[in-house]
Amino acid sequence: MSIPVTRLNHAVLYVRNVERASRFYRDAFGFEEIGRAGGRMAFLRAANSQNHHDLGLMEVGEHAPAPVHGATGLYHLAWQVATIESLAAARELLIGMDALVGQSDHGATKSVYGIDPDGNEFEVMYMLPREEWGEYERSGVVMPLNMDKELARGR
């Protein structure tokens, strides 16, 4: 028997400085900080979320090592947006924050990637309507993202 999961409810990240990390996620995603615990943990909720919190931040101190790229562990979190225009706006915001680290076309999804002040990578993604997945219904691909082309299609 397997665990009957319905969805991922929240994620918790280790961060060096909870104030700095909370400010980053509030500025980048518009999250609301809904509470603190023990002075070293913050809980944030996305606008219109039905979750108590979507992201927890746990401070481990300024001298904690950064995540090691290519080591085992979490690679990134993916935050979904409702429109391709929202994805394009996220890309511009991340560029302005000097936090954009990549962008990809995954066929069924279009993605931009960012990094927070502690080196935690995240994805902001737009998912095409399922009827448009076509050949990507059962495949995983990584192709260059052409944002101008995607915006011209309009969804």
Side-chain angles (χ1 to χ4, degrees):
M1 178 176 182
S2 61
I3 299 169
V5 171
T6 57
R7 67 185 178 94
L8 179 65
N9 181 272
H10 69 272
V12 178
L13 299 175
Y14 288 121
V15 298
R16 291 184 189 102
N17 180 295
V18 72
E19 290 295 332
R20 180 178 60 223
S22 179
R23 184 174 48 254
F24 176 86
Y25 284 98
R26 291 190 321 262
D27 291 349
F29 292 97
F31 285 171
E32 171 190 10
E33 186 175 305
I34 56 101
R36 292 279 178 117
R40 296 181 54 191
M41 190 150 193
F43 300 94
L44 294 94
R45 182 183 308 138
N48 302 313
S49 175
Q50 298 302 304
N51 295 333
H52 174 267
H53 63 281
D54 297 289
L55 183 63
L57 304 170
M58 183 178 293
E59 183 174 284
V60 294
E62 291 293 344
H63 299 294
V68 178
H69 183 75
T72 58
L74 180 67
Y75 171 32
H76 67 253
L77 305 173
W79 305 102
Q80 186 171 342
V81 295
T83 66
I84 194 67
E85 293 81 9
S86 294
L87 184 64
R91 181 182 178 275
E92 293 307 311
L93 179 73
L94 293 174
I95 288 170
M97 297 177 82
D98 197 30
L100 184 72
V101 295
Q103 54 188 13
S104 297
D105 181 341
H106 297 293
T109 64
K110 314 302 176 186
S111 303
V112 297
Y113 297 87
I115 196 163
D116 76 8
D118 292 290
N120 295 305
E121 189 166 329
F122 56 86
E123 174 182 357
V124 181
M125 51 84 62
Y126 166 69
M127 187 176 332
L128 274 65
R130 190 155 191 166
E131 61 273 10
E132 294 181 31
W133 290 2
E135 67 183 287
Y136 304 111
E137 173 80 28
R138 296 192 150 291
S139 67
V141 297
V142 180
M143 303 176 291
L145 177 64
N146 182 331
M147 187 64 79
D148 291 335
K149 178 180 162 189
E150 296 302 327
L151 287 168
R153 285 184 188 170
R155 300 205 197 288

